[in-house]
Amino acid sequence: MNEIRVIGDAEVAAVGLGAMPLSIEGRPDEGRAIATIHAALDAGVTLIDTADSYHWHAGEEGHNELLVARALAAYGGDVSGVLVATKGGRGRPGDGSWTVNGDPRHLRRAAKGSLKRLGVDAIGLYQLHKPDPAVPFAESVGALRDLLDEGDIRMAGISNVDEDQIREAYDVLGGRLASVQNRFSPAVRDSAPELRLCDELGVAFLPWSPLGGISRSALDAEGPAARTPFHDVARERGVSPQRVALAWHLSLSDRVVPIPGSTRPESIRDSAAAASLTLTEEELTILGGV
């Protein structure tokens, strides 16, 4: 299996880190959060996904971006090859809800804020977090195009989109669409058409919540109803079902770069190891495709 994937003009390790759980409800203390990011880097992870809206309480905008920036600054090794992907266009007022704002003026301000919090000259990958039904999609993507042209971001992506929106964004960006980040997992495969389109266009596909439907407790549960085929393959291989799930993701296309979330060093180390797990054709048949 190819352990290196390409996003735009950047090479990254095949498995990234979704940093959201380190800042939202039930988040770990900062010491463990930073230890988790450092464990990811130690394991060879070179893509970290964040967003300005990944926080818990009101007034914490950018909590996750600041956390990622502090972790990278405190890491003892070379981080020059780490791609930090962030997103704009959503908000959290502090009551547990999520809002959406795709106004181009807001997106430009949001990108400037992310740029400052991450402490970089240009954001490696900036993504529209979610289409805003109150704003023409082309206008929201146009803000990303302008940010690209002005050098504030190196690459542009979109998230939570359908096939038509992918094609529209590709056109608005003049073929410079680097990534699509949609929900996709063993349990939720309804973004399969979007994955196939990304493969056709040469665009990276970043599944969020890639471990959906895979429970650790089910591995040792009694009775077949408690387990999935992923647990059965994991039992035969002597690895975690999460590792099998991520290896399955990677088998679907060389454009796939899953970004599992983690709040513990041991979890992200296990996830990163999926890049070196090659599933057999028989196993892939059991797990199903898209």
Side-chain angles (χ1 to χ4, degrees), residues 186-238:
V188 181
R189 307 187 190 190
D190 52 5
S191 277
E194 288 76 23
L195 189 163
R196 288 191 288 267
L197 178 56
C198 286
D199 208 29
E200 174 189 325
L201 295 175
V203 173
F205 185 83
L206 315 181
W208 64 262
S209 194
L211 299 177
I214 303 297
S215 167
R216 290 188 183 277
S217 60
L219 184 60
D220 298 313
E222 295 295 331
R227 298 194 306 270
T228 70
F230 291 84
H231 294 88
D232 295 332
V233 171
R235 185 187 294 274
E236 290 296 320
R237 285 295 196 105

Side-chain angles (χ1 to χ4, degrees), residues 253-269:
S253 165
D254 284 343
R255 297 294 175 181
V256 173
V257 186
I259 46 172
S262 180
T263 60
R264 298 182 298 123
E266 48 268 43
S267 296
I268 189 56
R269 282 194 288 264

Side-chain angles (χ1 to χ4, degrees), residues 129-246:
H129 205 152
K130 185 177 183 178
D132 183 347
V135 178
F137 186 63
E139 292 185 11
S140 297
V141 177
L144 302 187
R145 179 197 58 219
D146 294 344
L147 289 165
L148 272 174
D149 292 343
E150 294 162 14
D152 288 326
I153 67 175
R154 285 181 41 233
M155 295 184 288
I158 52 178
S159 183
N160 299 302
V161 290
D162 61 27
E163 290 176 275
D164 289 340
Q165 289 165 331
I166 293 172
R167 293 188 187 280
E168 185 173 8
Y170 190 87
D171 290 341
V172 171
L173 292 167
R176 294 179 293 172
L177 179 65
S179 66
V180 168
Q181 184 171 323
N182 275 13
R183 184 183 183 189
F184 189 79
S185 71
V188 181
R189 307 187 190 190
D190 52 5
S191 277
E194 288 76 23
L195 189 163
R196 288 191 288 267
L197 178 56
C198 286
D199 208 29
E200 174 189 325
L201 295 175
V203 173
F205 185 83
L206 315 181
W208 64 262
S209 194
L211 299 177
I214 303 297
S215 167
R216 290 188 183 277
S217 60
L219 184 60
D220 298 313
E222 295 295 331
R227 298 194 306 270
T228 70
F230 291 84
H231 294 88
D232 295 332
V233 171
R235 185 187 294 274
E236 290 296 320
R237 285 295 196 105
V239 299
S240 73
Q242 287 73 21
R243 194 182 303 188
V244 172
L246 293 171

